[in-house]
Structures are given as C-alpha cells and as structure tokens.
Amino acid sequence: MKKLQSYDDVMSSLVRKKRIPNLLLGNGFSMAYDPKIFSYNALYNFIGKINDPILKALFEVTKTQNFEVVMQQLDATCRLLEVFATDQGLIEQIESKRQTLENSLVDAVQSMHPEHVFKINESERRKCADFLSPYLEQGGHVFSTNYDLLLYWVEVGSKELDGKCIDGFGKDRLNEDEPHEDPVYSELIWGPNRSQQNTHHLHGTLSIFDKGVKIVKETYDGSWLLDNIRDRMKNKQYPVFVASGNADDKLNVIKHNPYLTACYDALCNAKGSLITFGFSFGDSDDHIIDAINLACSKKRHHYEKLWSVYIGVYDDTAKQHIESIKHKFQCKVNLFDAKTVNIWR
C-alpha cells in the first residue's frame, strides 16, 4: 500500500487548522483490542442465524429487523389470546417462540463477551482514554456503531475521562419534596445530561434499555452485566440496538427510538472534521454517509459545517474500496494509515 499519512499527522493538521475533531468508531475499535473475540459480531447477525422457520417468518411478516418490535408483538398476541380464551396450547407455543428468541439474543451477547473481556487492565484503559481525550477536550463528539461494552468499561474505569465523557444519562432525585430527608435517586435515565451529550451509540449498545416511557442505562453493581441484561429481558426490557439490515432498515429503527434519533441527529450536526477508525463504510452504511453529508451541507453557516472526513484504512483492499465510494461524500475525503493508531497498547 502506498504510504499514507499517519494518525498523528492528521491530528496535528487539525490542530493547525483549528478544526474541531470528531471520532467515528466501527468494529475495528473492538478488533484492535482482541481480533479473536471481535472479528465476528454475533449480535449484528443473530437474527439471520436463528435456526427457526417460524421466527424467521415473523421478521419477514412484520417487515422489520427490530428485535424489540417482534418481542413486543409476541407479548401482545399472548395477552390478546388470553382475553379471548383461545386454546392454551397456542398461547404456550407463542410463549415458547418468544423464549427461543430471547435465548438467542442472550447467546449472541455471551458469544461477544467471553469472561476476560471484562478484565481490561488499567494500562489498556488509560491508553484508550488518552486516545479519546483530545476529541472530548476540544469540543468534539465520539460516535460508535458497536454494541459491545468495551467503550463502556473505558468510560467508567478511567479517571482521565471523568467529567469529559458525557453520554446524556443521569439520575433524578425522587424525593425533592422532602429536602430534609436523605436523597433518593432514580436509576440512570437518558435526559438529565442530554444537552451536554458528546458520546453517542449510533446503533445502540448492550448497556442501554428501552423501558417504554424512558431510556435507561445498566450500571455495574458487583454482578455480571450479562446477568443484569438477562434479568431485564425477563422483565420485558430489551437492549437498544440496530440489528442487521440495509441502510433504510437501520434508519427506520433509528427514527423510531428517541435515543437513537438524538445520536443520529448529533452526527448530522457535527462540525469541524470527522476521523473514522475501524469503520468500513459497507453497503449497509449509506445512512451514515447521508448523516455526514448533512453535516457537510453548504446550506449551513460557514463555521458550523463539517469540512472533511479522514478515514483510516489498513490495506490496499480497504483503500481501493474507499476510493471507489468517494463520490458518495459531499465533503473532502482523506485517507490515513489505521495501523498508526495505537488505541489499547
């Protein structure tokens, strides 16, 4: 591969130009931590891997890749059948399929997160925090399309990111009318810090749940997060994530969830420059390119637009692919050598 500019060259150039840097992370961020674990994104493809013709047909009939929608419809169908005193055998069959679908998601989550992933050492966390800090310190935003919990563990485990990494979640005091009592707080809900949010999970993530009237975030409480995820699902709470599908399918799911919509809108309104790492811009990612183009739109104020995109590539194949889709972007596209980015070590 012809010699490309390094990551440090890119960052130095943005400093000279006084450009706000923004970061878009793809699966390469996780693969850089451990390619043996993250080379296959089980959650992304779990719907297509379900070996059950009835469940596959359900996703086709409902015309959605949204796991939560299908789960809710199965729950609603059971309740309706109970009201009409329908044959109990049919209700049990539907409940069985619902359980199969739930177990499939749990299995996919577990295959993504072998136990040692939760044991990121301090030096790795610190190194990753150093990688993320320049974006957050200079008014930029961090966007991720990954479902896994790596970014979560860096955020909560790194003192270097205290007060810098804002995901929009916070706690409300539940007993404000009792000022003399010890404060009682809610679980982490999305909204209290939304105006300062600078970290966005564009396709959702395993630690974020939709409870219908509010979006909540699971926190580490001494138990395995995977156990907590399973417990929430048993209570009909489901992780917010965008499963496999084409770009239109993904955007449809995004637009039907307030958290995902806000994250997507933040990308549409990014300003300065965008650096991408480990994001392939595949056939199903045109909705991301559309968001970038909105940010680059010349209709916006001169100082409020996205000027350029810097895409990290690992080899000639990746370079050729980006060269072949440059015409899709409405702003300048630059390439840099992704191998010069040292995120974890």
Side-chain angles (χ1 to χ4, degrees), residues 97-343:
K97 294 302 178 184
R98 181 198 175 283
Q99 190 62 51
T100 298
L101 185 54
E102 180 180 307
N103 291 341
S104 296
L105 176 62
V106 172
D107 290 344
V109 170
Q110 289 177 328
S111 67
M112 284 177 62
H113 289 88
E115 181 180 354
H116 71 275
V117 172
F118 299 121
K119 299 179 180 178
I120 302 173
N121 64 48
E122 184 61 28
S123 64
E124 291 170 334
R125 275 200 296 265
R126 189 181 303 113
K127 183 68 175 177
C128 188
D130 289 342
F131 168 69
L132 297 172
S133 289
Y135 299 94
L136 304 174
E137 291 172 347
Q138 297 178 50
H141 292 248
V142 173
F143 302 93
S144 174
T145 58
N146 297 332
Y147 310 121
D148 62 61
L149 298 169
L150 280 177
L151 189 58
Y152 173 94
W153 284 113
V154 173
E155 293 170 359
V156 301
S158 303
K159 294 179 181 179
E160 295 84 356
L161 295 180
D162 283 351
K164 299 177 185 177
C165 194
I166 304 172
D167 59 11
F169 287 83
K171 295 183 177 183
D172 286 338
R173 180 169 176 174
L174 301 177
N175 59 343
E176 288 184 342
D177 295 336
E178 302 171 343
H180 301 297
E181 298 294 328
D182 290 337
V184 178
Y185 293 101
S186 69
E187 60 187 328
L188 277 174
I189 61 175
W190 180 67
N193 298 307
R194 177 178 170 180
S195 62
Q196 291 86 38
Q197 185 173 345
N198 59 14
T199 305
H200 314 271
H201 293 278
L202 294 169
H203 289 165
T205 183
L206 292 173
S207 58
I208 297 176
F209 288 79
D210 189 343
K211 294 183 70 173
V213 296
K214 56 186 176 181
I215 308 294
V216 302
K217 182 179 179 181
E218 182 59 72
T219 54
Y220 178 73
D221 60 1
S223 304
W224 289 110
L225 278 178
L226 294 182
D227 292 338
N228 294 344
I229 289 171
R230 185 182 295 108
D231 290 342
R232 283 189 179 271
M233 290 178 61
K234 289 179 180 177
N235 290 318
K236 296 182 172 56
Q237 299 175 33
Y238 308 113
V240 174
F241 70 96
V242 181
S244 57
N246 60 40
D248 289 339
D249 290 338
K250 290 179 181 178
L251 188 58
N252 184 55
V253 175
I254 289 170
K255 291 300 184 181
H256 281 81
N257 181 280
Y259 170 81
L260 297 178
T261 298
C263 292
Y264 187 77
D265 288 346
L267 180 58
C268 292
N269 288 287
K271 56 185 179 181
S273 291
L274 177 69
I275 296 175
T276 78
F277 179 80
F279 192 81
S280 62
F281 289 100
D283 293 337
S284 62
D285 295 324
D286 280 353
H287 63 301
I288 299 295
I289 296 177
D290 290 342
I292 291 171
N293 287 339
L294 280 174
C296 297
S297 173
K298 295 179 180 179
K299 295 179 181 179
R300 301 178 63 198
H301 189 277
H302 180 73
Y303 296 103
E304 295 293 317
K305 67 182 292 184
L306 190 71
W307 286 93
S308 54
V309 179
Y310 293 81
I311 301 175
V313 295
Y314 278 96
D315 52 35
D316 279 329
T317 300
K319 179 178 180 293
Q320 290 168 8
H321 169 64
I322 299 302
E323 294 285 358
S324 72
I325 64 169
K326 271 188 175 182
H327 65 278
K328 292 185 176 182
F329 294 85
Q330 294 179 13
C331 58
K332 185 177 181 181
V333 174
N334 308 275
L335 304 183
F336 69 92
D337 187 352
K339 295 190 294 294
T340 62
V341 184
N342 299 313
I343 297 178

